[in-house]
Amino acid sequence: MAGKEASKVALRYLLGKCVPSSKQNAAKVRIPQLKFDNYFHMYFKEHEFVYANDPQKLCKTGDIILIKALPAKMTRLITHEVIEVIHPLGDITDPITGKKTVKSAYREDLDEIVQLHGRKETAYDYEKAPRRGRLENIRDFTHKKVYLKYYDNPDDPQPDTV
């Protein structure tokens, strides 16, 4: 009888956006969800926040990442694991063709237009652009949390807290 009773282990993959986190080797991930409101009979977007284990520090603030639920909690907060970075912030790649894009046009098409009409001195050159994150901890502190909310008080809303 024990052989027929197989335990079900559901692997749950989620797609979310990395937000600033004060935890070491962990990423805070904002996962959008649609919640149904019975009064309006509509779905409204709400967010769930989870912490994902990221020992290799793959993701940075603003990246769209794929995470997987761990079979057992690593700590009280860390319940997921970072699998891969799907879309890094600022470097948009078309998922079907794999080409880099700028707004709604491919970079290759823009390069052909520049060759036809000539390059301006003020034009942005993507090939010479510095890599993302080079000023982290020097002039860029967007990866750090602003202020932790330590209490909930309806009389003191604390608008700058995270």
Side-chain angles (χ1 to χ4, degrees):
M1 286 293 183
K4 292 182 180 179
E5 296 175 13
S7 64
K8 294 182 180 179
V9 178
L11 292 177
R12 192 170 169 202
Y13 290 92
L14 299 168
L15 198 65
K17 185 175 187 176
C18 188
V19 296
S21 174
S22 58
K23 300 286 181 200
Q24 295 291 331
N25 296 331
K28 187 175 182 181
V29 184
R30 181 177 71 186
I31 302 167
Q33 294 178 339
L34 293 174
K35 299 285 183 179
F36 185 74
D37 188 349
N38 286 322
Y39 183 75
F40 290 112
H41 296 287
M42 290 177 64
Y43 286 95
F44 291 96
K45 192 177 197 179
E46 292 184 1
H47 298 285
E48 179 184 354
F49 291 92
V50 296
Y51 283 92
N53 185 28
D54 187 18
Q56 293 93 13
K57 299 191 186 261
L58 296 173
C59 58
K60 295 183 179 184
T61 301
D63 292 347
I64 304 296
I65 59 173
L66 182 69
I67 59 173
K68 176 179 79 171
L70 292 171
K73 285 185 174 183
M74 182 175 274
T75 64
R76 184 176 59 87
L77 288 175
I78 301 174
T79 57
H80 291 75
E81 176 183 17
V82 174
I83 302 298
E84 68 174 307
V85 176
I86 304 295
H87 296 289
L89 179 69
D91 199 15
I92 301 169
T93 306
D94 183 17
I96 297 170
T97 61
K99 296 178 182 178
K100 301 290 185 188
T101 63
V102 178
K103 292 188 181 180
S104 61
Y106 293 119
R107 286 188 195 171
E108 297 172 357
D109 298 340
L110 294 176
D111 290 340
E112 290 177 8
I113 292 170
V114 167
Q115 286 178 356
L116 289 173
H117 297 288
R119 179 174 293 278
K120 292 183 180 178
E121 293 179 13
T122 59
Y124 188 77
D125 190 8
Y126 290 98
E127 301 301 323
K128 294 180 182 176
R131 64 176 179 78
R132 179 176 176 247
R134 67 184 174 90
L135 294 176
E136 194 169 293
N137 283 329
I138 298 170
R139 294 184 70 178
D140 179 22
F141 299 101
T142 56
H143 62 286
K144 292 190 177 182
K145 257 189 164 175
V146 179
Y147 174 75
L148 293 173
K149 184 184 271 189
Y150 291 105
Y151 60 93
D152 282 320
N153 186 357
D155 299 328
D156 184 15
Q158 305 178 47
D160 297 329
T161 58
V162 177

